[in-house]
Structures are given as structure tokens and as C-alpha cells.
Amino acid sequence: MHGPNHISRPIRRLIEETERIVASELIIHRERECPISGLLLDVYSYDLDHNVIVYPASYLGLLKDLVIAWNCAKLLLRGVVHGTGDLKVLSYSKETAITGGDQIYLDILKDSMTKSLDINRKKKIIPLIFHLFHEGISELPLGIVSHIFLARNYPLLRNAQVYLLIKEGMYDMHELVSVKDLIPRRYFVLHNALYYTRDALLADYLSAFPLNPVINIPELRRFKNLDLKETMTHRWTGSAWYHTKIAGDDMFTRTRKILENHLIAFDSPVKLREIFLAGKNIAELWTERMAMKHWFRWVNPAEGVKSEGQIREIEERMIAKIFTN
């Protein structure tokens, strides 16, 4: 490992085990401009000589250790599955992107808030929504199982996990608020339902009540103690946040069933390959429940990165196909 000296001993052992399994040195460094949960650049996806983890420069102590450990856990899971030749990531092609774009455009025309938007705005919204869901469905399932792996095997990180996840939950579930009236309600609801599911699951598995979205997210607190009669009133059924809770509760229940079937894999002796496959099963469940099964496909990581490098060309073809029919 090449990185900071002050890393707690259990996390240093996790890093050493990961380096042994992936047969590559891990480079860890800090950056001022960095996502909240850090960044993983692995040799399976990118043309790199070493795996790289980046963490925010402002993070210290166990918060820094958590971000390093979480990204290290994702690398470990990928490395184990790569060793068996089964490493796949959720990506897209020109054809699948057009399928997704067609559906988004139909939903824009069906939604009373968005059907009257000018054509240039519609052309911007379609690829935005497509890539939002690709990012969410690609990253969240592996992130969830990695957090559960840490929670059950590295309890010293528990408080840092809860702190970071509460912070992330507030950010993620308000990401689209400023453009809520510019996208079909269906996609605002489903986007937030993904993060609702993540937070509700991890609140459950981390025994962290404050992490639950009906506690952590102000707009969802009002639905915590509503009785059946109250929930059926027009006041609530007209709320996008109410629909977020309904969709989130459904996805939470179904996702928890997948995790319950794999839960023994998280305890010693840990079955890393089974944990990775649990994440893949979650992604497949989500695409099916959100009617996005034909938007994406499973490919090797390098091919997934190649698709991301063709975003402009894919977007142009998507828009041309939609608006010339």
C-alpha cells in the first residue's frame, strides 16, 4: 500500500488482504475535490498499473478509514469475482440507450408538468434521466453490500458509517428537488426510491434508527405515523414524496428478501463471491421493478468504461432517433 500512515490496524489488514487477492498494490491519496464517499479507480475498468482510492482531504480519523475501507471492500469483491472470470458491470449500448430514451420521452409527454416543455429542454432532460438511473443502479447495489460487509466485520467503523450515510442520504434525496417540475414525476419518485431503499436497508442492518429516511428526510417525516385513512386523502396521494415512500417501501421489502437469502455470506467465514452476486441480484431486481430491464446490459468493466467514453455520440443518436420519428 502507498498512502497515509495513520490507518487503524483492522483496516490496514483489510487493505493487505485486498492487495493479496487482486495481486496489485493499492494507491491511496487525498484530494480536495472528491465525492462524499471517495472514488475507486480499479485496474479492471481503467488502463492503470495500480488500483487507486481517493478520499476527501477534509476527512480525518475513522471517517477517513471508513471511506478507504468502503472503497477497498468494493475492490475486494470485484477482485474475487474477476478471479473466476465472472466480473460484469451494468452498462448500455447505443441500442439500449435509445430504448431508454424512447420510454423517457413517452413519459415526458404523459406527464402534465412536462408535456408542454419546449423541445430543447426535452432534449436535455432525456439523457439526464437516463444517465442518472444508470449511475444509481450501477453503483448503489455494490455499495449497499459493501456497507453491510463492513458493518458485520468492522464494528469500529459503525459510528462513522451512520454519520456519512445520513449526510449522503440528505444530499442524494434532494439532488433533483431543484428540477422537480422539469422531469416526469415518475422519475423523481423512482430516483428517490433508490436512495430511500439504500438508507432503509442500512438503517436496518446497521441498527441505526436515525438513518431511516422517514426520520432523516424532512419531507418524509410527515408520513411516519399516518394511519390508513389519512394516507388515502388527496392531500397525501398528490405528493411526490408520498409516492417516493410507497415505491421505496416496496423496493425495500423486495431487496431485503434478497439480502436475507445471502446474509450468512457476510459472517465469518465470509463468502465474498456470494456477497458480490447479492449486489448483482439487487441491480437486476431494481431494473425489473422500474421497467428498465432493457435499458442496460451486463458487460465486462472495460467495455462499460468504453460506453461512458461514447456518451456524446450515444446521446446524439438517441435524440436524433426520438425526434425524427
Side-chain angles (χ1 to χ4, degrees):
M1 181 198 77
H2 179 76
N5 293 322
H6 301 292
I7 296 178
S8 56
R9 188 173 300 173
I11 307 309
R12 190 172 290 276
R13 286 199 295 267
L14 171 63
I15 293 169
E16 292 170 354
E17 177 68 4
T18 301
E19 287 181 321
R20 184 186 67 79
I21 288 176
V22 304
S24 172
E25 183 182 21
L26 181 56
I27 309 297
I28 302 173
H29 67 95
R30 58 202 291 266
E31 289 285 347
R32 183 173 298 174
E33 299 296 328
C34 181
I36 293 174
S37 294
L39 188 65
L40 170 64
L41 303 173
D42 62 64
V43 296
Y44 315 119
S45 305
Y46 303 95
D47 186 19
L48 298 171
D49 294 326
H50 304 287
N51 295 293
V52 179
I53 291 175
V54 184
Y55 68 92
S58 60
Y59 288 6
L60 301 170
L62 287 178
L63 188 57
K64 173 202 68 184
D65 285 6
L66 167 64
V67 171
I68 293 171
W70 183 65
N71 283 286
C72 189
K74 291 193 293 181
L75 174 60
L76 177 60
L77 294 172
R78 285 186 164 211
V80 166
V81 181
H82 178 266
T84 62
D86 297 323
L87 179 57
K88 301 291 182 182
V89 299
L90 202 64
S91 186
Y92 51 86
S93 64
K94 295 181 180 71
E95 293 73 26
T96 62
I98 288 171
T99 299
D102 281 338
Q103 184 58 55
I104 294 167
Y105 182 55
L106 289 174
D107 288 326
I108 287 174
L109 297 180
K110 291 176 186 176
D111 192 291
S112 60
M113 294 290 293
T114 58
K115 65 182 180 181
S116 59
L117 293 174
D118 66 76
I119 193 167
N120 288 328
R121 183 153 281 176
K122 289 173 182 173
K123 287 181 178 180
K124 291 179 181 178
I125 289 170
I126 292 169
L128 168 68
I129 292 174
F130 181 84
H131 289 294
L132 269 175
F133 280 93
H134 172 251
E135 180 182 12
I137 302 171
S138 297
E139 296 181 1
L140 284 175
L142 185 61
I144 288 170
V145 297
S146 296
H147 268 300
I148 296 173
F149 166 73
L150 292 179
R152 298 179 80 91
N153 293 279
Y154 299 89
L156 81 161
L157 297 174
R158 187 70 57 87
N159 289 340
Q161 275 186 288
V162 174
Y163 170 82
L164 186 65
L165 285 164
I166 288 175
K167 184 178 178 181
E168 276 194 312
M170 287 291 291
Y171 173 82
D172 292 330
M173 294 194 69
H174 290 91
E175 183 180 7
L176 296 184
V177 168
S178 62
V179 294
K180 184 164 69 76
D181 296 332
L182 301 177
I183 62 175
R185 174 174 291 196
R186 176 175 187 269
Y187 294 108
F188 178 83
V189 167
L190 290 177
H191 175 270
N192 278 8
L194 291 177
Y195 295 99
Y196 180 104
T197 303
R198 176 198 63 188
D199 293 353
L201 281 170
L202 294 177
D204 196 9
Y205 285 105
L206 272 65
S207 301
F209 185 64
L211 176 56
N212 193 303
V214 296
I215 302 299
N216 185 37
I217 307 302
E219 293 87 348
L220 291 169
R221 288 177 197 154
R222 69 189 70 178
F223 306 122
K224 180 175 182 291
N225 295 313
L226 292 184
D227 61 28
L228 180 61
K229 182 178 179 181
E230 288 175 315
T231 61
M232 297 303 292
T233 64
H234 177 73
R235 177 186 178 191
W236 301 122
T237 56
S239 165
W241 288 99
Y242 173 71
H243 286 278
T244 291
K245 183 179 186 302
I246 297 299
D249 284 340
D250 175 71
M251 291 176 67
F252 164 74
T253 301
R254 294 172 185 274
T255 306
R256 185 167 58 178
K257 287 180 180 178
I258 291 176
L259 289 171
E260 285 173 349
N261 291 335
H262 294 276
L263 201 56
I264 192 172
F266 291 89
D267 295 325
S268 182
V270 175
K271 299 177 179 64
L272 295 169
R273 186 173 186 276
E274 188 174 339
I275 293 174
F276 180 91
L277 293 178
K280 185 178 179 182
N281 290 342
I282 290 170
E284 290 177 342
L285 168 70
W286 287 1
T287 57
E288 184 175 346
R289 291 299 297 167
M290 297 191 295
M292 298 177 185
K293 193 170 184 178
H294 301 295
W295 291 23
F296 311 111
R297 60 199 181 105
W298 292 104
V299 300
N300 65 65
E303 189 176 345
V305 172
K306 183 179 178 182
S307 295
E308 292 174 12
Q310 298 173 335
I311 284 177
R312 184 178 294 277
E313 179 187 347
I314 289 173
E315 287 181 356
E316 288 174 354
R317 184 172 294 192
M318 177 196 295
I319 296 303
K321 170 71 167 54
I322 292 168
F323 288 93
T324 53
N325 286 348

